[in-house]
Amino acid sequence: KLQFLYLIGWMLWCAAVAACAAVAAPPLPATMRAWVKPDAATPARYDPAFPKVPQLGGLRRTYTGLPAACEVVVRVAASSINPSDIAPVTAVLPHVYGSDMAGTVVAAEANCTRVKVGDRVWGDIGANCGNGKELGGYAEYAAALETQVAVAPPGVALLELGTLPKVALTSWKALTWYAGGPWESGPVVA
């Protein structure tokens, strides 16, 4: 009976270690490369050692009224430039630019259900956050809500996925908001 209890205890300990490993990754670096708007008077510029690497919980510490979704930190592999990225309205400075991104999840809060550490993801992280726009795609690491990213389809390169979020969303809006889609039958978009 005692051996059985030890076995159960050992199994619970292993499960706890595995669960922690699923949401924790090696520590993030102290700095990162990023395209940053440092202050109101300075134009956006490349910073090879930007000291504000995103951390889990950072979005909620910065913005109020966010949806109830867990946060993830993504190591960005690819991003793209959109008209809304040229001069975004942001209340928080310094601020990293870039809304589209694709990369690998390197940290995730324990309550995440859709993505986990190690998942390849893509998304438009340029959401309005009440008091400005949270961005971050033009950096080595970006914070996002789990609901802002999707698991990358197998066989599609992160480089390709980094170009799609905003343009795909814009196309979807054009088809559904302005062209009356989705259609039962009729026009085909090729």
Side-chain angles (χ1 to χ4, degrees), residues 170-189:
T170 301
S171 300
W172 179 81
K173 283 181 179 178
L175 291 170
T176 58
W177 291 8
Y178 306 113
W183 303 278
E184 295 293 323
S185 62
V188 175
V189 177

Side-chain angles (χ1 to χ4, degrees), residues 143-157:
L145 297 175
E146 180 185 39
T147 54
Q148 292 178 295
V149 297
V151 175
V156 182

Side-chain angles (χ1 to χ4, degrees), residues 12-96:
L12 289 172
W13 180 82
C14 288
V17 168
C20 290
V23 296
L28 295 170
T31 63
M32 65 178 179
R33 295 174 292 178
W35 188 257
V36 180
K37 171 86 172 153
D39 55 58
T42 308
R45 61 176 169 72
Y46 171 71
D47 187 339
F50 186 60
K52 293 183 76 173
V53 177
Q55 302 293 323
L56 291 177
L59 292 177
R60 285 200 170 67
R61 284 190 296 274
T62 306
Y63 300 100
T64 58
L66 293 178
C70 77
E71 291 182 31
V72 297
V73 176
V74 177
R75 180 166 172 80
V76 177
S79 188
S80 62
I81 298 174
N82 297 287
S84 62
D85 295 325
I86 303 302
V89 176
T90 176
V92 180
L93 295 171
H95 204 87
V96 176

Side-chain angles (χ1 to χ4, degrees), residues 83-134:
S84 62
D85 295 325
I86 303 302
V89 176
T90 176
V92 180
L93 295 171
H95 204 87
V96 176
Y97 279 10
S99 55
D100 286 357
M101 67 94 217
T104 305
V105 176
V106 295
E109 290 180 331
N111 60 331
C112 286
T113 58
R114 296 177 55 235
V115 298
K116 63 185 180 308
V117 170
D119 281 350
R120 294 174 351 113
V121 297
W122 64 298
D124 174 0
I125 60 171
N128 288 307
C129 295
N131 57 339
K133 272 186 108 105
E134 176 57 31

